[in-house]
């Protein structure tokens, strides 16, 4: 299997580890995280070949992230380091149902400093997929770098995956993300949205959003809704699948686990845009891939953390058998 290259941020998720009598956290436990880094770990955990490209700080948190990626089996030859900025932090709060909310500390952090010159000469050689999300589009120069990476991946014959993964708190005050994410959506062969993100994009209705999406390269859109019905769309077809009901502990990395599972399946097929079109004519295979991805996401929410929560391929298959 050719590798899947995930580009963007790796950061520290700080989870509250105790509550005092006033309701304040008494401490925080660091977990390695960051959406594209999570996807890379998800791919590696289920048996795929994963690499991560991004800028890590030269601080101890940067060391922790690099070590965590390597321990998870993710290739880090495309990681750059800098002493000019620190590691981004996300304080994660979980409610009684495991739903998370974030408070970000990401002002001039290392992940924002990656530039086209930081890609190695052979970064895009022989990769199956290049995956990004909108968190690397919140700063103009990094956004241009992200789009250039997507274009280079296409030039190397790889598919491009885009998970919107919208985090409004990461965008500058007063900036509308929509005009900035649509060019990236049009560069992606595979797009993943949450139900809330699909509603956010579909300001003029779902069909108008789909018509606009099909003007670009996209051949498969997947819309997840937690334990709710999963929807998929192709320019010539669409469908729905039920998902796995589980008791959620921490939903932080659920979408990233789903994406990792789906991309691993596409890489196993050595998929290209034409092959994605053919998948729509072989619905059992497409549905099997989406069920596998959904199982990855479902298992992940039953555990705390991001990297630490990702299931192995054997765990996913055993879970699917139990849920059959």
């Amino acid at each position: 299997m050719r590798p899947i290259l995930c580009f963007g941020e790796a950061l520290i998720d700080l989870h509250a580890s105790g509550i005092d009598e006033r309701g304040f956290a008494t401490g925080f436990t660091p977990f390695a995280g960051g959406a594209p880094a999570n996807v890379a770990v998800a791919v590696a955990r289920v048996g795929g070949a994963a690499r991560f490209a991004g800028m890590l700080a030269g601080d101890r948190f940067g060391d922790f992230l690099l070590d965590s990626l390597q321990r998870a089996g993710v290739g880090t030859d495309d990681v750059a380091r800098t002493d000019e900025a620190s590691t981004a932090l996300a304080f994660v709060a979980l409610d009684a149902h495991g739903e998370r909310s974030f408070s970000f500390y990401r002002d001039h952090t290392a992940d924002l400093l990656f530039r086209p010159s930081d890609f190695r000469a052979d970064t895009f050689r022989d990769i199956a997929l290049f995956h990004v999300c909108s968190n690397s589009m919140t700063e103009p120069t990094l956004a241009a770098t992200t789009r250039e990476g997507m274009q280079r991946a296409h030039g190397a014959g790889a598919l491009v995956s885009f998970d919107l993964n919208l985090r409004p708190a990461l965008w500058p005050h007063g900036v509308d993300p929509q005009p900035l994410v649509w060019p990236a959506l049009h560069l992606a062969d595979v797009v993943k949205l949450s139900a809330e993100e699909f509603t956010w994009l579909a300001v003029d209705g779902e069909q108008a959003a789909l018509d606009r999406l099909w003007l670009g390269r996209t051949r498969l859109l997947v819309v997840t809704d937690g334990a709710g019905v999963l929807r998929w769309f192709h320019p010539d077809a669409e469908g729905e699948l039920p998902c796995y009901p589980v008791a959620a502990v921490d939903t932080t990395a659920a979408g990233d686990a789903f994406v990792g599972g789906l991309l691993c399946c596409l890489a196993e097929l050595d998929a290209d845009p034409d092959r994605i079109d053919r998948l729509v004519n072989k619905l059992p295979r497409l549905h099997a891939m989406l069920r596998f991805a959904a199982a990855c996401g479902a298992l992940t929410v039953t555990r705390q953390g991001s990297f630490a929560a990702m299931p192995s391929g054997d765990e996913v298959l055993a879970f699917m058998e139990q849920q059959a």
Side-chain angles (χ1 to χ4, degrees):
M1 182 194 304
R2 291 186 295 154
I4 296 165
L5 177 63
C6 301
F7 171 73
E9 86 278 6
L11 51 75
I12 301 295
D13 289 329
L14 291 164
H15 289 248
S17 55
I19 301 294
D20 66 17
E21 67 280 1
R22 298 168 299 167
F24 296 113
T26 57
F28 292 89
T29 302
F31 288 89
N38 291 341
V39 172
V41 171
V43 169
R45 286 285 288 155
V46 297
R51 286 167 35 204
F52 175 75
M55 184 71 74
L56 298 184
D59 58 22
R60 289 291 288 166
F61 277 145
D63 295 341
F64 174 64
L65 289 168
L66 184 63
D67 179 72
S68 298
L69 286 165
Q70 292 171 343
R71 286 177 180 271
V74 175
T76 56
D77 288 347
D78 300 288
V79 169
R81 304 294 298 271
T82 181
D83 292 322
E84 301 299 317
S86 57
T87 300
L89 306 177
F91 287 84
V92 183
L94 302 174
D95 67 16
H97 304 289
E99 287 296 329
R100 76 283 186 270
S101 57
F102 299 98
S103 296
F104 291 102
Y105 289 77
R106 197 191 181 215
D107 184 18
H108 190 69
T109 50
D111 60 293
L112 299 173
L113 302 183
F114 197 98
R115 299 294 179 258
S117 59
D118 293 312
F119 287 123
R120 295 181 303 123
D122 59 351
T123 287
F124 297 95
R125 186 176 302 161
D126 201 35
I127 61 170
L129 292 114
F130 182 65
H131 173 73
V132 300
C133 75
S134 70
N135 295 345
S136 61
M137 312 202 76
T138 59
E139 190 275 331
T141 307
L142 183 59
T145 302
T146 304
R147 292 190 297 270
E148 180 169 333
M150 298 170 84
Q151 292 163 342
R152 288 194 195 183
H154 284 310
L159 287 179
V160 170
S161 162
F162 184 77
D163 179 4
L164 183 53
N165 195 48
L166 186 68
R167 300 287 180 263
L170 290 178
W171 290 82
H173 180 70
V175 172
D176 179 6
Q178 283 225 16
L180 301 173
V181 301
W182 269 108
L185 287 164
H186 282 149
L187 287 170
D189 301 284
V190 178
V191 172
K192 186 267 182 190
L193 305 173
S194 70
E196 294 83 2
E197 290 164 350
F198 193 22
T199 299
W200 176 78
L201 277 180
V203 290
D204 297 317
E206 287 189 359
Q207 190 56 53
L210 290 169
D211 290 342
R212 184 175 181 182
L213 188 63
W214 306 143
L215 294 175
R217 293 184 58 103
T218 306
R219 308 305 295 167
L220 179 65
L221 165 66
V222 181
V223 180
T224 60
D225 190 17
V229 171
L230 178 155
R231 305 168 68 194
W232 63 266
F233 300 86
H234 176 272
D236 299 322
E238 61 185 70
E240 296 182 348
L241 282 175
C243 285
Y244 299 98
V246 294
V249 171
D250 181 356
T251 62
T252 302
D256 303 326
F258 179 96
V259 172
L262 178 59
L263 297 188
C264 198
C265 291
L266 288 170
E268 284 180 346
L269 286 181
D270 204 22
D272 55 27
D274 290 340
R275 188 160 292 182
I276 292 177
D277 290 341
R278 293 196 294 274
L279 272 176
V280 175
N281 294 321
K282 297 179 179 179
L283 286 184
R285 185 63 182 268
L286 175 61
H287 287 176
M289 294 166 60
L290 292 173
R291 282 196 298 271
F292 181 83
C296 291
L299 267 178
T300 298
V301 306
T302 65
R303 307 163 178 177
Q304 190 176 17
S306 296
F307 288 17
M310 299 299 178
S312 69
D314 288 342
E315 289 176 316
V316 174
L317 295 177
F319 173 81
M320 293 176 71
E321 278 194 25
Q322 293 166 3
Q323 299 292 322

